[in-house]
């Protein structure tokens, strides 16, 4: 089973640069060795055509911080 790994700020900067060079989500995914769904989801974090790595990273951190945490209740 694959382990879930968050995108790093460095990867987000790479996505931003590759998008500026007009690469598709699939091409970016191949370059970064990630799923094209991951890249597409990441691209949809920002307004269409205006992806900013720092803003996307900030939004992702906030979403992770504010997420409901799973707590196991023992009886």
């Amino acid at each position: 089973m694959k382990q879930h790994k968050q995108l790093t700020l460095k990867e987000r900067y790479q996505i931003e640069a590759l998008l500026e060079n007009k690469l598709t989500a699939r091409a970016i995914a191949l370059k970064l060795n990630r799923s094209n769904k991951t890249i597409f989801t990441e691209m949809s974090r920002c307004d269409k055509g205006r992806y900013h790595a720092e803003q996307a990273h900030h939004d992702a951190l906030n979403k992770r911080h504010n997420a409901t945490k799973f707590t196991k209740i023992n009886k």
Side-chain angles (χ1 to χ4, degrees), residues 1-67:
M1 184 169 118
K2 289 186 179 182
Q3 185 176 357
H4 179 71
K5 183 179 163 211
Q6 305 291 334
L7 287 171
T8 63
L9 182 57
K10 180 181 175 183
E11 288 175 312
R12 288 186 170 100
Y13 277 124
Q14 290 175 319
I15 292 169
E16 184 175 349
L18 294 169
L19 284 172
E20 287 174 3
N21 288 324
K22 309 288 188 220
L23 268 71
T24 63
R26 186 175 300 266
I28 294 170
L30 289 172
K31 284 192 175 288
L32 298 181
N33 196 26
R34 294 289 193 145
S35 162
N36 60 331
K37 171 110 171 95
T38 299
I39 303 304
F40 182 78
T41 302
E42 185 64 22
M43 289 167 53
S44 66
R45 275 191 200 283
C46 299
D47 295 332
K48 186 171 179 142
R50 298 177 184 252
Y51 182 84
H52 297 286
E54 288 184 27
Q55 184 63 46
H57 192 68
H58 182 265
D59 292 347
L61 292 177
N62 279 341
K63 184 176 179 180
R64 199 172 317 137
H65 177 74
N66 294 327

